[in-house]
Amino acid sequence: MNVENEQRYARHQPCAGHQPAKNRVIFYSLSRKFVDEKSAQRRTTQKAQEVVYYSLAIGHHLGVIDCLTARLECPLTGYQHWIDCLPRDGEAHRKLAGVQRFGEITIDSSHTHLLALALHAARPQMSQQQQAWSDTLMALLGRIENDPALYLMVRRIDG
């Protein structure tokens, strides 16, 4: 396989048998995108396939698949206490509370400043564990700030 073809195909990364514990909240970050070649071939012309293979930014409707990696995991009750440190009437609390309401939220570049400011302001009333979670989330938000194509998927795992 030549280098050009090697870059077109996703590298398989086994999940290593990791099953998240129940009653948890997990923050996943975009780690890479790859093209579902069969889907792309069915839906696009050869010229469009070339664009898909090299840009990987056209979208899911053309067969681009996102690979997400778990970056932060915390117990559901701990998560609830953590976000309760944020002002209850604030947008940051509302955004993060969406995990409890909907089971899943997405955090993208439009949320980074809002969440970072709220986490920073609430830090004094947080426990050490909550501060550590905030530090991890702040680092992930910083990565999104540096590359707006990145995002986080936050998912509740029920027991």
Side-chain angles (χ1 to χ4, degrees), residues 8-155:
R8 283 179 35 184
Y9 299 97
R11 287 183 174 61
H12 176 68
Q13 287 192 331
C15 188
H18 178 263
Q19 283 285 44
K22 303 294 184 197
N23 298 316
R24 314 282 289 168
V25 173
I26 304 174
F27 288 73
Y28 297 92
S29 71
L30 176 66
S31 58
R32 80 184 102 252
K33 292 183 180 217
F34 70 94
V35 174
D36 176 359
E37 188 172 15
K38 288 180 185 177
S39 177
Q41 285 175 348
R42 282 193 311 267
R43 296 179 182 166
T44 59
T45 66
Q46 180 62 35
K47 279 193 168 211
Q49 287 176 36
E50 295 287 320
V51 172
V52 171
Y53 292 136
Y54 293 106
S55 72
L56 294 178
I58 292 181
H60 298 288
H61 59 282
L62 289 179
V64 177
I65 297 171
D66 291 355
C67 297
L68 301 170
T69 302
R71 301 292 184 190
L72 173 61
E73 189 172 326
C74 50
L76 182 58
T77 54
Y79 178 81
Q80 292 166 339
H81 293 303
W82 178 34
I83 67 168
D84 283 344
C85 293
L86 305 174
R88 284 198 176 261
D89 59 345
E91 281 298 304
H93 186 279
R94 185 197 60 76
K95 176 65 178 172
L96 294 174
V99 171
Q100 295 155 298
R101 186 174 314 125
F102 306 114
E104 181 176 291
I105 61 169
T106 302
I107 297 173
D108 60 29
S109 60
S110 68
H111 307 111
T112 56
H113 289 295
L114 167 80
L115 293 174
L117 290 172
L119 290 167
H120 179 73
R123 192 171 180 84
Q125 58 253 31
M126 291 181 184
S127 69
Q128 278 189 316
Q129 180 64 70
Q130 292 166 338
Q131 289 178 0
W133 292 334
S134 293
D135 292 344
T136 301
L137 180 52
M138 295 277 275
L140 293 169
L141 296 173
R143 290 182 60 205
I144 294 171
E145 235 356 80
N146 291 330
D147 184 354
L150 296 178
Y151 66 91
L152 302 175
M153 177 68 63
V154 187
R155 185 170 287 159

